[in-house]
Amino acid sequence: MRTLAFTLPNGRTMSYMEYGNGNPNAKAVLVMHGLVGSVADEMLADKLKGIPLRMIYPARPGYGESDYFQMTVVSDWAKQLNTFLDALHLDFFDVAGISAGAPYAYSFAALYPNRVKTVYINSGVSAVYEPEILSCYPQQDIAFYQKLQKATREKAGQWLYNAYIPFFTEEIKRSRNFLDAMGGDLLNIGQESILQTLPWGFDVKDIRRPVILLHGTDDQVVPYAAAKATAARIPNAELITLEAEGHTSPRTMQAFMRLLTR
């Protein structure tokens, strides 16, 4: 599966994919992938084939075929995509964020309030740069986030890689998702994790677009309490609770797709 390419204002190349039924007039959704993800995953392509949406997946710096470049805050990504939005004629669109993609989805609503209609979040990373929201996490996670704030991107990437490896089967390690996320020098995931812990370049309290968050009560990656506290900070947020569901579980993904296509 070949990805598409776009040159960003900073001169770096970004890869992206479009999914859907091929109708250029269909509702457009800009999708922010998670920490371990690929915009060119074959399983994703099968699931989205013929869907009545125009779903656009950009790969963030260092993922897959996207060039790596250093960002200082989460909102740097949305700023770099201004010409991309124009080139794809995305005058009005929804934004979807999955897990670690949530901060980036929020950033589009904050930076482009006249273009973004609704933000949809599935098992989204919470605003952990806020001490009271970080306090919703287990103590070992709090310590790790605080450690990340002082780490280099190289160190952070290696720490995450070492932490994830024991939980992945050999089949997953050979998957496109894994290879596009962790097949390089790990600067991408290192940067992702560090930027989560720092102020994002905007305040979620200033987001004026509708935000719908979908979160499971048994999420062991992002505690439900942290998601609830983040939603409470966003003026037009609605939190949909899925009892006994974990992080990006099949049921949360099914419910998420129903929200996007309604």
Side-chain angles (χ1 to χ4, degrees):
M1 183 180 299
R2 294 182 60 186
T3 57
L4 304 169
F6 185 85
T7 302
L8 299 172
N10 64 5
R12 302 303 177 92
T13 297
M14 178 191 75
S15 63
Y16 71 100
M17 290 291 291
E18 281 204 40
Y19 298 98
N21 59 7
N23 180 2
N25 298 316
K27 183 175 80 168
V29 183
L30 192 65
V31 185
M32 303 291 112
H33 60 76
L35 183 76
V36 182
S38 169
V39 304
D41 181 89
E42 290 183 359
M43 291 182 62
L44 183 66
D46 289 341
K47 290 178 181 178
L48 299 181
K49 186 176 181 181
I51 196 168
L53 295 171
R54 184 186 179 197
M55 300 191 75
I56 301 151
Y57 280 70
R60 293 193 292 276
Y63 279 84
E65 297 174 30
S66 283
D67 291 339
Y68 173 81
F69 61 89
Q70 187 162 312
M71 299 187 291
T72 57
V73 291
V74 162
S75 61
D76 285 346
W77 181 234
K79 291 175 182 176
Q80 281 295 322
L81 266 65
N82 61 335
T83 55
F84 177 72
L85 300 178
D86 292 338
L88 270 64
H89 306 291
L90 297 178
D91 298 321
F92 302 102
F93 57 94
D94 290 338
V95 184
I98 302 169
S99 189
Y104 299 94
Y106 292 135
S107 73
F108 279 89
L111 270 64
Y112 303 105
N114 296 325
R115 302 178 82 157
V116 171
K117 293 186 290 185
T118 304
V119 180
Y120 297 92
I121 302 295
N122 180 5
S123 308
V125 164
S126 57
V128 293
Y129 58 85
E130 295 283 0
E132 59 269 35
I133 292 180
L134 183 59
S135 69
C136 297
Y137 282 72
Q139 191 56 49
Q140 65 268 24
D141 291 350
I142 294 174
F144 187 62
Y145 272 121
Q146 291 171 338
K147 184 179 177 182
L148 285 170
Q149 290 179 335
K150 302 176 183 178
T152 64
R153 282 153 173 77
E154 292 87 349
K155 277 284 188 187
Q158 195 62 57
W159 289 340
L160 278 174
Y161 182 81
N162 292 340
Y164 270 103
I165 280 295
F167 299 99
F168 288 141
T169 64
E170 290 303 316
E171 182 180 4
I172 291 176
K173 292 175 189 177
R174 292 191 297 269
S175 71
R176 185 69 182 263
N177 267 359
F178 186 88
L179 294 175
D180 277 6
M182 297 193 179
D185 54 17
L186 306 180
L187 287 172
N188 58 331
I189 62 171
Q191 173 159 265
E192 293 269 308
S193 60
I194 290 171
L195 295 186
Q196 286 178 19
T197 71
L198 304 173
W200 293 346
F202 61 94
D203 195 321
V204 294
K205 292 186 294 186
D206 295 330
I207 295 174
R208 292 295 178 261
R209 307 311 302 155
V211 176
I212 300 175
L213 302 92
L214 195 68
H215 215 90
T217 56
D218 284 359
D219 194 320
Q220 301 300 307
V221 178
V222 181
Y224 177 76
K228 187 175 181 179
T230 299
R233 288 180 167 269
I234 304 172
N236 298 310
E238 174 190 357
L239 177 61
I240 298 176
T241 301
L242 290 180
E243 297 292 340
E245 290 299 320
H247 192 72
T248 63
S249 70
R251 185 179 167 220
T252 65
M253 291 301 294
Q254 290 169 3
F256 192 57
M257 293 308 299
R258 286 197 297 269
L259 285 173
L260 293 178
T261 55
R262 66 181 181 179

